Amino acid sequence: HRAYKVVADEVKELEEQNVAIEAKIQKDSDHLYGGKVVSPREVDALEKDIQSLKQRRSQNEDRMLELMETLPPLEAASKAAE
């Protein structure tokens, strides 16, 4: 039962991180394409930040999939132990 909760909590944490990442990507994209950025250096920095955030989001999604695959067996084991 404990292992199931730990894994489920980690999945929830990753989901919450991805919500925050999405918000940051949206904010940076709005800033980048909103016509306010004139410095090539700032454009480059924003593009790199957005790319980094997308990579982190993808890593979180991969980890969430790995964890979700373990949930059914853990749930079954938890029910069997009760």
Side-chain angles (χ1 to χ4, degrees):
H1 182 67
R2 170 121 173 86
Y4 178 85
K5 179 160 177 30
V6 169
V7 171
D9 287 348
E10 186 174 348
V11 169
K12 183 177 179 190
E13 174 64 29
L14 290 167
E15 288 172 342
E16 290 170 358
Q17 285 179 19
N18 276 3
V19 168
I21 289 170
E22 277 298 322
K24 176 73 170 138
I25 289 171
Q26 187 62 48
K27 179 182 171 209
D28 285 355
S29 294
D30 289 348
H31 185 65
L32 179 62
Y33 300 113
K36 297 177 183 174
V37 180
V38 292
S39 162
R41 188 176 296 171
E42 189 177 359
V43 169
D44 188 49
L46 283 168
E47 287 174 340
K48 285 180 179 176
D49 189 38
I50 290 168
Q51 187 59 35
S52 174
L53 289 165
K54 287 180 177 179
Q55 184 177 6
R56 195 161 122 220
R57 178 186 62 194
S58 179
Q59 291 169 343
N60 282 355
E61 289 169 349
D62 290 345
R63 179 66 179 146
M64 284 173 21
L65 288 173
E66 291 172 11
L67 291 169
M68 286 180 188
E69 289 174 357
T70 67
L71 285 175
L74 289 173
E75 185 176 27
S78 174
K79 288 183 180 179
E82 289 178 358

